[in-house]
Amino acid sequence: MTRVLVTGGAGFIGSHIADALLARGDEVIVADDLSSGHRENVPAGARFVEADLAEPETLTDAIAGCDGVIHCAARASVTTSIDDPVHSNRANLQASTRLLLAARDAGVRRLVYSSTSAVYGDEVEGEAHEALRERPVSPYGMNKLAAEHLFRMAPALYGVDTVCLRYFNVYGPRQDPSSPYSGVISLFVTAALEGRPPTIYGDGGQSRDFTFVGDVVRANLAALDAPVGGGAAVNIGGGRPTDLLALWAAICRACGVDNLQPDHGPARPGDIRHSRAAVARVAELLGWRAEVPLDAGLEATVAWYRAHPLAAP
Ligand code: UD2
C-alpha cells in the first residue's frame, strides 16, 4: 500500500493507525468530521480533510488515488444509538455505504472496517466465536453488523476487497475520558490519578476482554496487507477477560495509589456480563494475536494520562 485513507483518523484508534502508516512510509489522508475526534490527534505528516462521510462530495477528493482505506469513523456509543437510532443509521451505516461506493469509484483495492464485539449481543456463553449467529442488542450493534454484511458482499458486488475487525474493548493513550460512556479504563485511570473512587455499575463481577490500541493498530496493518481479505470478519481481542474489580486493582497498582474502595451504582441496562473473544480465526487468517498484556498496556496508558492531565473531565 502506498496511499491510505483513514476515516476517523482524528479519533482515538484512527489516529494511532495514521501514525503507524506514516512511520512505515505510507502516504496518509485523514478524513474526519471532528464530531468526537480532535484535530490535534491528526499526525503532522497526514493530509487532513474535514468530511462528513454521509455527504459524499468531499470524500471523492480525499479518496482519489488511494489503494487502501481504513474505516474507523463511527458514532461509537451504544447508549447514544439507543437514544437516536436515526443518527446511528446515518453515521454508522449510511456513511459506510457511501464510503464503499467512493472506494469502488476510486479503484481502492482493500478496505478494512472497524467493527465491534457488539454484533454478538448478550446471549453468548463462553467465547464469542465468529461462526455464532450474531444477535446485536442495540442499534449501534445492528448498524455495525449491517455494514459488515455490506463489506462482506463488497468484493463480489463492487470489486473492493475487505476485512472486518470486531474490536473487543479497546483502550490506551488518547482515549477520551470526557463522557460517562467513555471506555471504562479511561474513566478509571483518570479517577485513580485524581484520587477519586470509580463508580462500578453492578457488583464488578462483569468481565471484558480489554485490548491495547497498539495491538489493534497491528491488526489493521495486517488486514490491509493480507493477500486476500474476502470480506472476512474476525475478532480482535486477546481471549483473556478481566473483571472490573480486578481491573480497578490493576489500575491502582499501575498508578501507584492505594486501592480505594470503589462506589457501586446500579447495573447499566443492557450491560453484558462477560465478553471474551475467540482468537483462532484471526490467527489463521491474518497471523495476528494480541501481544500486550493488561499490566503493560495499563502502564503505557497511565503514563499518557499523567502527561496529558487536561484530557481528564
Ligand atoms: C463496549 C464498547 C462499545 C460496544 C460494546 C459491545 C467501549 C468503550 N465500548 O462497551 O462500543 O462495542 O463493548 O458490547 O469499548 N463501567 C463501570 N463504570 C464506569 C464505566 C463502565 O462499571 O464508570 C462498566 C460497564 O458497566 C461495563 C464495563 O465497565 O460493564 C465496560 O464498559 P465500557 O463502557 O468501557 O464498555 P462496554 O463493554 O459497555
Side-chain angles (χ1 to χ4, degrees):
M1 293 293 165
T2 50
R3 187 189 258 204
V4 183
L5 172 68
V6 182
T7 73
F12 161 49
I13 299 172
S15 65
H16 283 284
I17 294 170
D19 286 342
L21 291 167
L22 287 168
R24 72 177 202 175
D26 287 354
E27 191 183 335
V28 175
I29 295 129
V30 163
D32 200 298
D33 67 359
L34 300 180
S35 59
S36 59
H38 303 285
R39 183 68 181 82
E40 319 75 90
N41 285 342
V42 179
R47 183 176 148 221
F48 176 66
V49 180
E50 192 168 336
D52 174 356
L53 301 186
E55 299 293 339
E57 296 78 19
T58 28
L59 195 58
T60 312
D61 169 49
I63 207 168
C66 288
D67 312 295
V69 173
I70 296 197
H71 179 29
C72 299
R75 171 67 40 195
S77 160
V78 170
T79 311
T80 311
S81 81
I82 295 168
D83 294 343
D84 191 351
V86 173
H87 186 258
S88 177
N89 272 331
R90 183 179 190 281
N92 295 319
L93 183 55
Q94 186 178 323
S96 297
T97 311
R98 294 240 190 252
L99 179 68
L100 176 59
L101 296 182
R104 174 200 61 188
D105 295 345
V108 165
R109 286 193 294 120
R110 176 66 51 81
L111 185 150
V112 181
Y113 179 51
S114 289
S115 187
T116 169
S117 57
V119 299
Y120 290 110
D122 59 4
E123 286 170 13
V124 177
E125 299 275 342
E127 288 182 341
H129 190 280
E130 292 89 340
L132 288 176
R133 188 173 61 135
E134 301 89 348
R135 300 274 295 170
V137 291
S138 65
Y140 171 68
M142 181 267 284
N143 289 150
K144 284 278 176 177
L145 181 60
E148 272 195 13
H149 282 302
L150 187 69
F151 291 129
R152 179 179 53 77
M153 297 182 260
L157 298 186
Y158 301 103
V160 179
D161 199 10
T162 59
V163 178
C164 300
L165 304 178
R166 295 177 172 172
Y167 301 157
F168 283 69
N169 292 77
V170 185
Y171 72 97
R174 287 188 209 145
Q175 190 167 31
D176 187 350
S178 63
S179 133
Y181 304 114
S182 297
V184 66
I185 291 183
S186 69
L187 294 171
F188 281 17
V189 170
T190 45
L193 290 176
E194 291 168 11
R196 291 184 280 114
T199 302
I200 289 187
Y201 302 124
D203 64 4
Q206 69 267 46
S207 65
R208 294 292 183 272
D209 197 343
F210 295 107
T211 310
F212 187 63
V213 68
D215 279 332
V216 173
V217 169
R218 279 193 308 104
N220 274 273
L221 300 191
L224 195 61
D225 297 340
V228 179
V234 291
N235 290 339
I236 301 300
R240 294 214 189 98
T242 303
D243 71 51
L244 287 200
L245 293 171
L247 174 70
W248 173 243
I251 286 174
C252 290
R253 276 198 306 279
C255 293
V257 301
D258 289 342
N259 192 337
L260 273 180
Q261 193 60 35
D263 294 336
H264 284 266
R268 270 186 183 166
D271 209 27
I272 290 167
R273 185 69 179 166
H274 299 296
S275 172
R276 173 156 65 110
V279 299
R281 187 159 179 196
V282 66
E284 190 188 325
L285 287 185
L286 299 181
W288 177 93
R289 66 182 185 86
E291 284 176 357
V292 181
L294 185 65
D295 282 339
L298 287 178
E299 203 179 304
T301 305
V302 167
W304 187 85
Y305 284 108
R306 272 194 208 285
H308 297 82
L310 287 178

